Amino acid sequence: MLLQNKAPKKSSWKGTCDALIFSYYEKKLRTAAETNSGMKRLNIQLNSLHSTHPMFQNVTNPREVQKLKRQLKVLSGDFYTNSIIGERQGTSQKCLLCEYLCEDDIHVLGLNGCPALMAPKARIFNEMTEAAANFQPPLTISTDDNVFMQYVCDPTSYNLPPSSRVNLNKLGECDIMFKLTRDYVFTITQLRAKKIEEILGNKVQK
């Protein structure tokens, strides 16, 4: 009755409907993400469907896109380690490289994880700490594996302590650290894939 007596303009009505539909699905997606254990490192509280995640900034060539895809898989919980595969298929969750009982993403990418992957970790971690020390204000990168895993997924995340978190408003610092964390994730996961391929004698999906 109200609409019949005072019908809104077509453009106004369309805008209102679009906003309500957008709001509904954004809330629905937030709720789904919050209850998805695989997305625990993706802090969605400050993200909107209108915004682009800062990790997509300054990705300017196919090689960086390839690295970004790997970092996204880890951030979204889509990086398949033996712990995930074993749980789903009822097979062994052991690390093929060191026989550790449960090969999860922290075992693969953590600083204190798989000993077969340590050399490049130390090199790139040193580059990251040197870069962070030159930020304004200087930042420190935690060596605690749980915190560090969050850092290599997203160094701007509000899941991180302020002493480590890269300021979203400082685009130059964001570009530097996202490039380093992409390098870290890609280098370690590529090395893991190569070593597993050598062990199995078959090509694994990369």
Side-chain angles (χ1 to χ4, degrees), residues 15-77:
T16 300
C17 290
D18 287 348
L20 289 171
I21 292 169
F22 188 93
S23 177
Y24 169 80
Y25 281 105
E26 183 174 50
K27 184 178 179 180
K28 186 176 182 178
L29 289 171
R30 282 186 192 278
T31 301
E34 287 172 352
T35 56
N36 186 334
S37 60
M39 299 180 71
K40 61 186 177 182
R41 296 192 179 93
L42 179 60
N43 189 319
I44 60 167
Q45 296 306 316
L46 298 178
N47 291 331
S48 163
L49 291 179
H50 285 297
S51 62
T52 302
H53 196 283
M55 71 192 313
F56 291 98
Q57 296 173 359
N58 204 31
V59 179
T60 56
N61 59 67
R63 183 65 169 171
E64 289 300 311
V65 171
Q66 187 180 19
K67 293 178 181 180
L68 172 64
K69 287 171 64 178
R70 193 70 55 86
Q71 190 177 33
L72 277 170
K73 288 178 76 69
V74 177
L75 176 62
S76 62

Side-chain angles (χ1 to χ4, degrees), residues 56-194:
F56 291 98
Q57 296 173 359
N58 204 31
V59 179
T60 56
N61 59 67
R63 183 65 169 171
E64 289 300 311
V65 171
Q66 187 180 19
K67 293 178 181 180
L68 172 64
K69 287 171 64 178
R70 193 70 55 86
Q71 190 177 33
L72 277 170
K73 288 178 76 69
V74 177
L75 176 62
S76 62
D78 195 35
F79 175 58
Y80 284 3
T81 57
N82 276 349
S83 65
I84 295 176
I85 296 171
E87 183 178 345
R88 293 182 179 180
Q89 299 182 358
T91 54
S92 173
Q93 298 184 27
K94 281 186 177 181
C95 174
L96 294 176
L97 306 184
C98 71
E99 295 296 311
Y100 184 71
L101 290 178
C102 182
E103 186 211 43
D104 57 10
D105 55 1
I106 290 180
H107 180 70
V108 175
L109 292 166
L111 293 171
N112 305 297
C114 183
L117 304 173
M118 285 299 180
K121 288 182 182 180
R123 174 180 60 79
I124 304 176
F125 178 72
N126 286 337
E127 293 177 11
M128 291 163 61
T129 54
E130 288 176 9
N134 290 318
F135 289 171
Q136 296 299 324
L139 301 177
T140 58
I141 302 175
S142 175
T143 56
D144 175 273
D145 277 344
N146 282 294
V147 180
F148 183 71
M149 269 299 303
Q150 177 65 68
Y151 197 88
V152 295
C153 288
D154 178 7
T156 66
S157 174
Y158 276 77
N159 291 338
L160 292 167
S163 59
S164 297
R165 186 172 62 242
V166 179
N167 189 330
L168 280 168
N169 296 318
K170 297 186 176 181
L171 299 183
E173 295 181 359
C174 286
D175 289 346
I176 290 170
M177 196 54 71
F178 269 116
K179 185 178 187 309
L180 287 169
T181 53
R182 282 197 300 268
D183 286 345
Y184 182 94
V185 171
F186 187 79
T187 300
I188 304 307
T189 54
Q190 281 291 93
L191 178 61
R192 169 183 174 268
K194 181 180 179 181

